[in-house]
């Protein structure tokens, strides 16, 4: 109690008033810039921008509910089952900070504290591609979600390997995903010429049974650089098929997505195969055929016996349609260890893509890979394409179903499991601001002393408990000193000898709340 009184004596009233809520400038802008604005910018796929305070304030209620329900940011895979590279996830602290901000009326705070607004230019990461293939200008036609395939000819006269690839949407506000396939048959071209506009409609895959998946793009993905010495084999004369999802409301807009490829004819490349090891055909499906009666929820089981050599697995990409509601895969090694692979407890057809393991995963020889997929063909499934529900069987159409779990894999090589995918294969994302994610709520009940004040050459700050970060701002709002992400220090000092004389604000944050204290430096 005594300590508490001492604490109060240090603080001004305005300080207390401002210590109650997370603010846009101190907390929320950074969370948005790190997790949301890649899609929610004026040219992004998100339905509104979240770049500025005035953008966000109008959406604050929706932001709170979308983050509480974990609908946003979109990341259907369960992180507790298997963590992947480049996860789009908020921590519970970030979700709580957003709720705290909204519940307190979504205050802006001190505008000058806000991090710099990120700039999303359309610069490409692969600036000198060996081959660039582009879809013709296509004006989206039709209602609802459109899945359209475009046949692209890279003009390869000899076999090559892709060592890096980048899918660049022509119109970022309407391209929701791109799945890239290779095909050597004539089927895609035949489908294309039967349709008078560029490309052809195809909901599931490409409509050709000989297409193989190469890669997937979703908003926020960068270029994919294969780990050194690895690539995807492209036979001479291959066609590439890009299946693009344009969401509802895209009609009338024009797209001309292109793909940059780095290729090599080197024979020393190890081929990464994207194979649907678990799938709805025999012998993989154990309780098939994949057929879901109307008004039933049905679960199917799948199996795959891995080769007699160890395998390096780079990625996993499940694929189902609209009646699918959950999908899971794991492997059991010959000595009985279970390796979790992926769990999507709430399948969302609109948010599918390839998940990259943080490090390539070594699957021991003779392991067994198991899969489970559940389909809800009742009226309780809001995505059910049939009303009333009808029999659903395997096929490519919107009203058909599928169960494919692709794995990007190749024969194991010693050292593969030490490659760090997060840094070696994809460029860093925007992460240019600091925000607090620490344990909440110490500041109101702790003693803080800041002395001497005014200060000449060394300012001391002492307190009990956890402090997450400290920042010193000059009167122009420029940060002149900062100590970040340090949970355990109970005192620190700020050397002020090299800081100009003048008035400063010291902002201390514990994760949920921040307090600011005026400091005068004189020399
Ligand atoms: C990968 C792209 C992407 C990212 C990242 C993303 N969004 Fe979205 N967001 C979308 C798209 C597309 C929609 C519209 C379709 C939908 O709801 O799935 C949307 C819809 C929303 C909606 C309206 C729908 C609703 O549920 O009320 C809110 C609010 C929202 N996003 C907030 C956020 C916030 C906050 C973040 C970051 C924490 C975020 N989004 C991250 C793409 C994204």
């Amino acid at each position: 109690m005594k300590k508490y009184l001492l604490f109060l004596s240090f603080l001004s009233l305005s300080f207390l008033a401002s210590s109650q809520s997370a603010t846009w400038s101190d907390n929320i802008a950074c969370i948005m810039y790190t997790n949301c604005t890649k899609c929610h910018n004026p040219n992004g796929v998100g339905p509104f921008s979240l770049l500025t305070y005035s953008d966000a304030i109008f959406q604050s209620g929706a932001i709170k509910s979308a983050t509480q329900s974990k609908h946003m940011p979109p990341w259907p895979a369960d992180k507790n089952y298997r963590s992947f590279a480049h996860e789009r996830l908020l921590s519970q602290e970030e979700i709580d900070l957003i709720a705290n901000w909204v519940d307190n009326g979504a205050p802006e705070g001190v505008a000058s504290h806000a991090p710099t607004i990120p700039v999303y230019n359309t610069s490409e990461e692969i600036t000198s591609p060996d081959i660039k293939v582009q879809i013709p200008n296509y004006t989206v036609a039709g209602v609802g979600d459109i899945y359209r395939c475009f046949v692209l000819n890279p003009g390869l006269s000899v076999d090559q390997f892709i060592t890096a690839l980048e899918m660049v949407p022509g119109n970022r506000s309407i391209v929701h995903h791109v799945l890239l396939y290779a095909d050597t048959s004539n089927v895609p071209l035949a489908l294309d010429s039967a349709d008078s506009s560029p490309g052809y409609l195809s909901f599931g895959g490409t409509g050709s049974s000989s297409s193989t998946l190469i890669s997937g793009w979703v908003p926020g993905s960068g270029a994919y650089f294969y780990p050194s010495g690895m690539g995807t084999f492209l036979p001479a004369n291959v066609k590439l098929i890009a299946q693009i999802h344009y969401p509802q409301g895209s009609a009338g807009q024009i797209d001309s997505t292109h793909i940059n490829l780095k290729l090599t004819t080197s024979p020393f490349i190890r081929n990464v195969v994207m194979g649907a090891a678990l799938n709805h055909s025999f012998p993989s499906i154990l309780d098939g055929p994949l057929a879901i009666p109307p008004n039933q929820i049905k679960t199917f089981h799948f199996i795959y016996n891995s080769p007699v050599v160890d395998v390096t697995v780079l990625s996993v990409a499940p694929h189902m349609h609209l009646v699918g509601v959950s999908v899971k895969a794991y492997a059991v090694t010959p000595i009985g260890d279970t390796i979790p692979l992926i769990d999507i407890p709430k399948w969302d057809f609109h948010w599918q893509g390839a998940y990259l393991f943080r490090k390539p995963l070594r699957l021991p020889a003779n392991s067994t890979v198991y899969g489970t997929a559940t389909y809800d063909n009742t009226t309780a499934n809001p995505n059910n394409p049939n009303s009333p529900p009808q029999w659903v069987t395997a096929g490519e159409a919107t009203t058909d179903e599928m169960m494919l779990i692709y794995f990007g894999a190749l024969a194991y090589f010693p050292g593969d499991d030490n490659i760090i995918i997060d840094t070696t294969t994809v460029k860093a994302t925007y992460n240019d601001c600091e925000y607090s994610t620490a344990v909440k709520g110490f500041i109101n009940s702790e003693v803080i002393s800041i002395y001497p004040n005014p200060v000449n050459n060394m300012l001391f700050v002492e307190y009990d408990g956890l402090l997450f970060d400290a920042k010193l701002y000059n009167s122009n709002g420029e940060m002149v000193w900062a100590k970040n992400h340090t949970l355990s220090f109970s005192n620190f000092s700020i050397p002020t000898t090299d800081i100009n004389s003048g008035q400063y604000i010291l902002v201390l944050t514990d994760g949920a709340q921040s307090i600011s204290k005026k400091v005068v430096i004189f020399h």
Side-chain angles (χ1 to χ4, degrees), residues 31-32 35-36 38-40 45-48 50 59 62-63 65-67 71-74 88 90 98 176 219-220 348 351:
I31 297 177
M32 297 296 128
N35 301 284
C36 317
K38 253 191 177 176
C39 300
H40 289 275
V45 72
F48 42 78
L50 290 174
Q59 304 297 340
I63 290 173
S65 57
T67 52
H71 175 57
M72 287 287 144
R88 284 189 303 260
L90 295 180
I98 291 171
H176 197 292
D348 185 343
W351 289 111

Side-chain angles (χ1 to χ4, degrees), residues 312-350:
T312 295
V313 189
L314 295 176
S315 61
V316 52
H319 179 76
M320 304 195 289
H321 292 179
L322 299 167
V323 174
V325 288
S326 66
V327 59
K328 181 173 180 170
Y330 59 92
V332 178
T333 70
I335 58 164
D337 288 337
T338 299
I339 304 175
L341 295 171
I342 190 163
D343 184 10
I344 298 188
K346 228 176 124 198
W347 168 255
D348 185 343
F349 184 79
H350 297 128

